[in-house]
Amino acid sequence: MTQRLSFDGDVVIAGGGLAGQTLALALHSAGVGVALVDVLPFETQLEDRFDGRASALAYTSMRMLDTLGAGERLREFTQRIEDILVCDGRPEDGMRAGGPGPFTLHFDRHEIHPGADGEPLGWMAENRHSRLALTEAIAARPDIAVFAPVKAVGWTRNSASTDLHLEDGRTLRGKLLVACDGKFSAVRRQAGTRSFGWDYGQKGIVATVEHERPHNGVAYEYFMPSGPFAILPLTGNRSSLVWTEKAAAADALKAMDRDGFEEALRARFGDFLGAVNETGPRWTYPLTLKVAERFHADGIAYCGDAARGIHPLAGQGFNLGIRDAAALAEITAEQKRLGLDLGSAVGLQRYQAWRRMDSMALVAATDVFNRLFSNDIAPLRLARGLGLSIVDKIPPARRFFMRHAGGEIGDLPKLLKGESLAA
């Protein structure tokens, strides 16, 4: 097939999901010419049944979205996270309902952001609303070249560019190609960049529930023998559940009728928020770890899940992609101002150095926590419960963990501080 050039600019982004759209806005805000490619029409990604997940946005992530013009659109659909309660979950035993166990670790946003108007620990938003806010912000910038729906079928590296080839015969030429095409990135695979990881043998059941009592902006994370069970506050008296089970059990829960599922849900959820009822569909997602050996190849950067996809127990997947976008946009803008090659190894190595430590710390933490807590060994259960209680009594430790989850540890890119990249 003869390829015809339909974009010749600075950066081509393969993958128009949350990370890809955020990066496109970040680059454009810095005066970098950008094209965005996705195999799906954007309208499909906005449908209720496309993605049932909700994401916790760290406070630094929301600062960046505000700076890029997407935060204002998103904010009416977000719920502030004022507190996070982490505990060894109390399994139902026939004598009492489930719910929080006796050992807890409480994170209170007033410790790091005091005052009635202080920043929350984060914001909860359903992914469909996050996509809508990003898509509307991109639509308001017609000089961001959007190619969707169309499939990318490969790329070639030239002396001064990396060309992305589309199934319809067009070629998009960029000085830098960025892979935002997920854990199983086709761009990364063609580049021959190895990855490591494993399947946890777990699936996350995602559902939205209504409850009788207000959640007051509190997020709960129970650690159960089968895996984490998260109750994440949404707008109104609603919460998003991420219920981790062994794969077979998750499939069985997914297949249950509404009455059966709600009975199992009440046993796991507890009654501290009153009566709980499922609303809307439910989804299951396999839980895996996949980490790229490097975060770049010749003329190519890996961003979001293409760099590393982690277990969702810390709710940091989207935030890592936002931090990737902030760092990569700042480096790319600086390279362009200095007249340097945007796809050079020097710039890409800077990007990897900036992002790898934060990434690997979260990879290790989520993997260790999932393995440590996803069992019912009595001595270990007691030890980890006591560990939670000890950390709960050490204010500097609590504040460190809150700031780390908020993305405020280390050398922050400008966008995460709420600062513009415009020259």
Side-chain angles (χ1 to χ4, degrees), residues 184-226:
F184 305 99
S185 168
V187 172
R188 188 187 67 215
R189 187 167 58 249
Q190 185 186 335
T193 301
R194 294 180 298 181
S195 62
F196 68 88
W198 40 81
D199 186 330
Y200 286 106
Q202 299 170 317
K203 288 186 178 181
I205 306 155
V206 176
T208 300
V209 298
E210 294 177 335
H211 35 79
E212 186 178 9
R213 299 176 191 142
H215 48 56
N216 297 318
V218 181
Y220 298 87
E221 182 95 49
Y222 304 168
F223 285 104
M224 307 296 289
S226 58

Side-chain angles (χ1 to χ4, degrees), residues 124-141:
M124 280 302 303
E126 293 162 88
N127 284 6
R128 61 194 175 97
H129 291 310
S130 298
R131 284 193 175 87
L132 177 60
L134 291 167
T135 299
E136 288 181 346
I138 287 172
R141 306 180 190 197

Side-chain angles (χ1 to χ4, degrees), residues 8 52 88 93 107 115 123 136 174 178-179 227 248 251 253 306 312 325 337 353 420 422:
D8 190 355
D88 231 5
D93 61 7
F107 298 115
W123 305 79
E136 288 181 346
V178 184
D251 289 339
L253 285 164
R337 283 195 295 270
S420 172

Side-chain angles (χ1 to χ4, degrees), residues 15-277:
L18 294 172
Q21 291 188 56
T22 303
L23 177 60
L25 288 170
L27 290 167
H28 180 268
S29 74
V32 177
V34 60
L36 181 65
V37 182
D38 199 75
V39 70
L40 295 174
F42 278 5
E43 311 84 73
T44 300
Q45 298 189 47
L46 303 178
E47 293 175 359
D48 288 357
R49 291 183 174 273
F50 176 75
D51 185 348
R53 291 170 292 187
S55 295
L57 294 166
Y59 54 85
T60 54
S61 296
M62 187 58 86
R63 289 176 195 168
M64 176 169 166
L65 294 180
D66 281 336
T67 304
L68 297 177
E72 183 179 357
R73 291 171 168 86
L74 178 60
R75 201 170 295 278
E76 67 175 294
F77 302 107
T78 61
Q79 166 64 49
R80 288 170 59 102
I81 301 175
E82 305 288 352
D83 300 80
I84 300 174
L85 191 68
V86 181
C87 61
D88 231 5
R90 185 178 68 198
E92 63 280 3
D93 61 7
M95 298 291 292
R96 57 188 178 184
F103 300 110
T104 61
L105 171 57
H106 179 207
F107 298 115
D108 181 345
R109 68 97 174 162
H110 290 90
E111 285 199 64
I112 56 173
H113 299 145
D117 297 325
E119 282 183 304
L121 293 176
W123 305 79
M124 280 302 303
E126 293 162 88
N127 284 6
R128 61 194 175 97
H129 291 310
S130 298
R131 284 193 175 87
L132 177 60
L134 291 167
T135 299
E136 288 181 346
I138 287 172
R141 306 180 190 197
D143 45 346
I144 295 178
V146 177
F147 299 85
V150 65
K151 183 179 180 181
V153 293
W155 54 267
T156 53
R157 175 67 175 155
N158 304 307
S159 59
S161 68
T162 304
D163 297 348
L164 186 69
H165 306 299
L166 307 183
E167 192 173 43
D168 62 10
R170 290 178 292 178
T171 291
L172 311 183
R173 173 163 294 165
K175 299 177 180 66
L176 172 67
L177 172 63
V178 184
C180 290
D181 53 345
K183 281 186 183 180
F184 305 99
S185 168
V187 172
R188 188 187 67 215
R189 187 167 58 249
Q190 185 186 335
T193 301
R194 294 180 298 181
S195 62
F196 68 88
W198 40 81
D199 186 330
Y200 286 106
Q202 299 170 317
K203 288 186 178 181
I205 306 155
V206 176
T208 300
V209 298
E210 294 177 335
H211 35 79
E212 186 178 9
R213 299 176 191 142
H215 48 56
N216 297 318
V218 181
Y220 298 87
E221 182 95 49
Y222 304 168
F223 285 104
M224 307 296 289
S226 58
F229 180 77
I231 303 170
L232 308 170
L234 297 177
T235 53
N237 278 16
R238 301 184 307 136
S239 291
S240 175
L241 304 184
V242 182
W243 181 348
T244 306
E245 288 284 352
K246 300 298 184 185
D251 289 339
L253 285 164
K254 170 72 163 54
M256 280 183 178
D257 62 22
R258 184 187 179 95
D259 289 343
F261 182 77
E262 288 190 347
E263 183 179 352
L265 172 62
R266 283 189 286 270
R268 175 60 55 91
F269 196 104
D271 58 5
F272 68 101
L273 290 179
V276 178
N277 298 291

